[in-house]
Amino acid sequence: MKQAIEHATLGKIEYEENFWTGKKKLYINGTPLQKQSKGVYLAPDGGSVYLEGNYLTGAFVNINSERIRLTAAVKWYEIVLSILPFILIMVWGNSALLCSIVPVIGGAIGGGISGVMCVTNLFIIKGVKPVWLKLVISIAMLVATFLLCFLIALIYLAAVN
């Protein structure tokens, strides 16, 4: 995930965080900052730049005792939209009546699938600006989670019978 902001005195500040590893990089006006230790970078003028937070909790840099926000924290509705697939599979997978109508895989397998889809949804919708598009993406992820758990349940039932 890459985020760039314009600062009045420092110019363009770019923040990059790897989705898989969490590795972070900072750039000021296109110049990469040298990492000294965890969360501490060497500024072009020789001073220290302190990086706090991450993509989900909100990233900040402290430069010359000025705190600058690089990314916003996750909003409450993004969290709610992201946990819906997990809740759906846990409720549906534990209901014998619902599974007799449309079977879905529950338990550890369904929880693992829906958990991965929840985290994926959160990272996707965090980078999207319009709220309506966040809703559309979240509904699509909810449907994809349900269909995936349904297909795995069909495979499991065919193997058992």
Side-chain angles (χ1 to χ4, degrees), residues 99-100 102-105 149-161:
C99 280
S100 67
V102 178
V104 296
I105 195 86
C149 289
F150 169 68
L151 292 174
I152 292 174
L154 290 180
I155 293 168
Y156 175 75
L157 290 174
V160 169
N161 293 333

Side-chain angles (χ1 to χ4, degrees), residues 77-143:
Y77 58 86
E78 293 172 337
I79 295 171
V80 170
L81 289 172
S82 294
I83 63 170
L84 286 178
F86 185 78
I87 292 171
L88 174 68
I89 295 304
M90 288 301 106
V91 170
W92 199 289
N94 285 317
S95 172
L97 178 63
L98 291 174
C99 280
S100 67
I101 299 168
V102 178
V104 296
I105 195 86
I109 297 171
I113 291 168
S114 60
V116 166
M117 296 295 269
C118 289
V119 171
T120 305
N121 185 57
L122 183 62
F123 273 98
I124 291 171
I125 67 172
K126 174 96 168 53
V128 174
K129 294 285 184 215
V131 176
W132 67 268
L133 188 55
K134 291 180 187 215
L135 285 169
V136 169
I137 292 169
S138 295
I139 291 170
M141 292 295 277
L142 181 73
V143 170

Side-chain angles (χ1 to χ4, degrees), residues 28 31-37 40-49:
I28 295 181
T31 306
L33 302 185
Q34 184 71 28
K35 188 171 186 176
Q36 291 180 318
S37 63
V40 181
Y41 294 81
L42 184 62
D45 63 359
S48 293
V49 176

